[in-house]
Structures are given as structure tokens and as C-alpha cells.
Amino acid sequence: MLKAVNQLGKEFLLMDFSIQQISHLRSTENFLCPICKEGVLVKAGAKVVPHFAHKPHSMCVNASTGEGNYHERGKIHLFKWFKSQGYNVALEAYIPEINQRPDIFLTINKRKIAIEYQCCRISPEMMLARTRGYKRYGIIPIWILGGNRLNRKRTNTSSFSSFDQLFFHQFQSNSPMSVYYYCPDAKQFSIFQNPYPISKTKMIGTFDFYPIQFINFPQLLNLQNNFSPNVLLDIWLKEKHSFRKRPHYIIKASRAYSFHQYLYLRGYHASLLPSIIHLPIPNLSPNEEPYSWQARWVIEHLLPLPLGERINVIDSPTMRYPLLNKQPKPQLAYARLLTKIGLLKHIQGNIFEKRREVQFPRTLHDGIKQDEELIKLLKSTIKEQLESEE
Ligand SMILES: [Zn+2]
């Protein structure tokens, strides 16, 4: 914690003092936690941000979360950043009504915003409870992850644990899903948007990087990086290629075991699946590989459906994302994509009609060719759509 009070209730932010001043304060003041009013210790040295700490085993909501120096430095940067933009901002403000203490608390006219800067893993339940607490009290929660949590794999690929996937924000139903990171070492925000999962943890999307002095808070929240469909589909074609050629041994220890067993028991093989399985759907799916649910949906619902018959596409959410304005509907998005390539026709709402039979490749070579043709078709339908919108 960065803030404490003395016995008269006067607030002290240790970061405002020099090392000499701090050692003087240490001998003249008795510092208390502003929340539980217990005595706290001064921690200062050459390598740490000067801060206060509760005595061990404190149950106070303000007690150290063990997030360390990296977290404290980032928190100070963010606090100063808000302050420099003229916001009414408080560091480690305690909200007694909900017994929560956000890292930074903003008041903009009548709107209240809690900024949580999260660098270490906490339990998902704790994250959900804190988010709910703010919302119930009419406070907008915004979680910024520590840059140390960013796990970028390639230009457009990043990896997210199921915990990190909770931090996708979407403020309006038409704004992109976004995760915000801040790194106090690089003094920079990193923003990941437009997630298209290729596995339970790996996602394709867009990255933006902004040094903290070159972006303000409204710009950060309104950032909208449009993913060029051609770039996305080019990456996807490569992914489809490696998916088809991946050695698909049925090994009991592997994560993919149940998927391949599922196919095997029904007489299918992953390398000879129709091209429509494993397509980019903007969605989050920490519980199942995207190709796995797409294969199940095609095999169980689409294949048995006679031509001209209708199907009601219903998404059963397996997980709720607390910071999204609307929950993802991957199956509906998938049906819409199949509509673009003429396999389905949209009737109304969630009702679609089957217009064409699903094509299976006979050989691996055949499959690769069909994948290429499908991606080409998707590119041209998207292009036509963009042109007709102009
Ligand atoms: Zn306390």
C-alpha cells in the first residue's frame, strides 16, 4: 500500500518524500492503515517503491496482496497519468459500503470508475466478486493487467489463460473486445483486441502499443483497431493447413485425446474433416478448442439435417464474462459465417435453413485445396459486402 495516515488522520504518500525525509518520518510519525487503523510498517530502500505494509497475518482489505514492486510502480504511473489529465482521482480509496479498495478511484461528473491494476493471479472467484461488488454499487470496474501477464507469440497471436480471458472488456455492444495491459518498465500500454481463438488459450487478434505519455484515458477506452479480414484469413489459412497436417495420433495423455477419440468413434479423421470446420469465430472459449465445438456442431446438427430443413441455432454459454457488454454467441456467429458461403440461409432470429450439403475431402491434398478455396471464397464475399456498404 502506498498511502497511510498519522494519528491525526493526515494522509501520507511515501512516494512524495526523499529517502532522508522518509527516515525522519519513520522516527517522528506513527503510521496507521487508513482502513483498519492498525499500525503499519514503512518499507523503503534503494530498489523498492517506498510503501507501507501491514503486520503479518492482517485480514485487512488494504493489506498487501503480495503484488510487489512492479505492481506498486505501475500503480503510481497510472495514478499520475490520471492526475495529469485533470481527473478527480484517488489512490487506494476505500469504499466502506462494499468493503473494497480499488487501486485507483475516479469520479467523472456523476460517474464513478474503479481501476484495478492486476499483476499477479488471484482466484477467479475473487476477481468476479470484486467486479460484482463495484457494479452493484454503480461503479464501473476497469481492470488493467500488468504487462508481465502479456504472452505475445507472434505479430497477431497471443496466449491467454482462462483467468486472463476474464479481463476482456467491451463497453458497448458494438465496440471490440479488448484487454488492457500496462508495463511500468516500458512505460507503455499494450492493448489486445478482436480475439479469434485458435485453441483454448491461443488467440489471433490485433495489438496496439502506446507509450503512456502519448495516449489519454478516453483514447485508451475508445481505441478501435479494425482487423483487416484479409490479414485474418491469411493467418487462418496457415492455421488450417497446420491443423490438417498435424500428426493426429490418439495418445491418451494428450489434451486433444478426447476430440480425436470423438471423431474416431464416429468414423472421422481430423485430417479429412470438411473445410468448414475450424473457421475464425470472434469468441472466447477457454473450455473447448474451437475446432472441437465446430466439429461437434457440424456432425451432430448440420450433417443429419436434410436439405431445405430448418435449424434453430442455440448457444449454451459455458462461462460468463463479467466485463463484456454482451456475451459471445459463437454458434450463431458460426451459422452466420456458413450463411455467407451459401451453406445456410438465414430465415429469422436464430433460424437457418440448410441450402447445400457439407463437402468432405477424400484425400489430405484434396482437403488442403478445399481449405484454400473456402478462404478465397470468404475473402471475396467479405470484399463484396464491403463494396455494397460503400
Ligand atoms: Zn488495514
Side-chain angles (χ1 to χ4, degrees):
M1 57 196 264
L2 296 168
K3 192 172 77 182
V5 294
N6 67 6
Q7 257 143 347
L8 302 169
K10 186 182 172 212
E11 279 188 3
F12 287 83
L13 279 174
L14 281 187
M15 64 192 190
D16 293 342
F17 297 94
S18 68
I19 294 285
Q20 287 78 13
Q21 287 171 317
I22 290 171
S23 67
H24 177 69
L25 285 174
R26 222 193 268 252
S27 54
T28 54
E29 296 282 357
N30 248 336
F31 290 111
L32 310 176
C33 166
I35 299 172
C36 67
K37 307 288 190 259
E38 273 173 29
V40 289
L41 309 166
V42 172
K43 303 273 185 183
K47 286 198 172 156
V48 298
V49 175
H51 62 280
F52 299 100
H54 281 75
K55 289 175 186 140
H57 311 300
S58 164
M59 294 300 286
C60 177
V61 64
N62 204 14
S64 164
T65 47
E67 292 230 65
N69 206 38
Y70 183 88
H71 175 254
E72 301 295 70
R73 280 191 292 126
K75 188 158 70 171
I76 292 169
H77 290 183
L78 292 171
F79 172 67
K80 287 183 175 167
W81 179 66
F82 283 114
K83 217 169 167 184
S84 72
Q85 295 170 60
Y87 287 111
N88 181 355
V89 57
L91 190 68
E92 300 176 348
Y94 180 58
I95 307 163
E97 290 85 354
I98 51 174
N99 190 33
Q100 280 177 246
R101 192 228 59 177
D103 289 319
I104 293 166
F105 190 58
L106 284 174
T107 317
I108 305 174
N109 301 322
K110 278 188 178 162
R111 212 182 275 179
K112 295 180 170 66
I113 299 173
I115 307 287
E116 289 276 9
Y117 180 54
Q118 196 63 39
C119 299
C120 69
R121 197 183 190 285
I122 51 174
S123 73
E125 291 74 26
M126 187 183 276
M127 183 275 175
L128 294 171
R130 282 198 210 162
T131 300
R132 265 198 308 270
Y134 292 132
K135 283 187 173 173
R136 211 179 303 128
Y137 199 58
I139 296 169
I140 301 164
I142 295 177
W143 293 75
I144 298 173
L145 296 180
N148 58 347
R149 301 204 66 82
L150 180 60
N151 193 357
R152 194 183 191 194
K153 301 290 187 195
R154 286 170 186 212
T155 315
N156 285 96
T157 314
S158 197
S159 182
F160 295 84
S161 68
S162 60
F163 173 68
D164 286 3
Q165 291 188 33
L166 291 173
F167 296 89
F168 272 97
H169 292 68
Q170 188 182 38
F171 298 106
Q172 271 142 21
S173 55
N174 58 349
S175 54
M177 292 191 250
S178 316
V179 185
Y180 304 95
Y181 298 90
Y182 179 71
C183 173
D185 293 333
K187 298 192 174 65
Q188 145 176 301
F189 286 106
S190 310
I191 305 101
F192 181 84
Q193 298 186 317
N194 305 300
Y196 288 83
I198 49 179
S199 74
K200 284 184 195 175
T201 53
K202 244 176 32 186
M203 296 193 197
I204 290 171
T206 53
F207 273 107
D208 276 288
F209 303 95
Y210 285 94
I212 190 166
Q213 75 268 29
F214 292 142
I215 190 167
N216 65 32
F217 184 47
Q219 285 166 338
L220 183 73
L221 295 193
N222 290 316
L223 197 70
Q224 196 148 347
N225 190 333
N226 292 317
F227 207 169
S228 147
N230 279 343
V231 173
L232 170 68
L233 289 168
D234 283 339
I235 299 171
W236 208 269
L237 183 58
K238 283 188 197 140
E239 167 57 28
K240 280 188 85 58
H241 195 208
S242 74
F243 172 69
R244 217 176 260 293
K245 289 181 85 174
R246 216 172 280 165
H248 291 291
Y249 310 119
I250 298 180
I251 301 166
K252 202 159 191 172
S254 103
R255 266 195 313 155
Y257 174 68
S258 62
F259 172 63
H260 293 292
Q261 196 189 36
Y262 173 89
L263 294 180
Y264 179 77
L265 291 174
R266 286 160 185 80
Y268 299 107
H269 192 272
S271 67
L272 297 177
L273 287 175
S275 293
I276 57 162
I277 291 170
H278 202 27
L279 289 181
I281 303 295
N283 164 44
L284 302 167
S285 60
N287 298 317
E288 192 174 5
E289 313 281 357
Y291 52 78
S292 167
W293 68 255
Q294 290 181 21
R296 279 195 302 113
W297 192 76
V298 168
I299 290 169
E300 290 168 27
H301 299 283
L302 200 55
L303 289 181
L305 192 72
L307 278 184
E309 292 286 309
R310 293 178 177 186
I311 183 168
N312 193 0
V313 178
I314 297 168
D315 277 282
S316 48
T318 47
M319 189 166 152
R320 263 192 76 83
Y321 296 88
L323 302 169
L324 293 187
N325 181 290
K326 67 171 194 261
Q327 297 301 310
K329 289 187 173 166
Q331 297 200 350
L332 196 58
Y334 188 44
R336 287 214 185 95
L337 196 61
L338 298 182
T339 303
K340 273 192 190 146
I341 56 171
L343 214 117
L344 296 174
K345 184 183 172 200
H346 186 219
I347 303 300
Q348 57 163 352
N350 294 351
I351 311 284
F352 292 81
E353 188 179 294
K354 184 169 169 183
R355 298 307 293 261
R356 270 194 10 230
E357 286 298 352
V358 178
Q359 202 184 356
F360 278 83
R362 272 161 303 170
T363 61
L364 179 63
H365 179 76
D366 222 14
I368 290 170
K369 233 172 77 189
Q370 287 180 11
D371 291 346
E372 284 167 6
E373 279 161 13
L374 178 64
I375 296 291
K376 216 194 270 172
L377 178 62
L378 277 172
K379 277 188 185 175
S380 68
T381 52
I382 289 166
K383 195 165 159 241
E384 270 168 35
Q385 206 179 346
L386 290 176
E387 280 165 359
S388 70
E389 279 167 14
E390 271 169 16

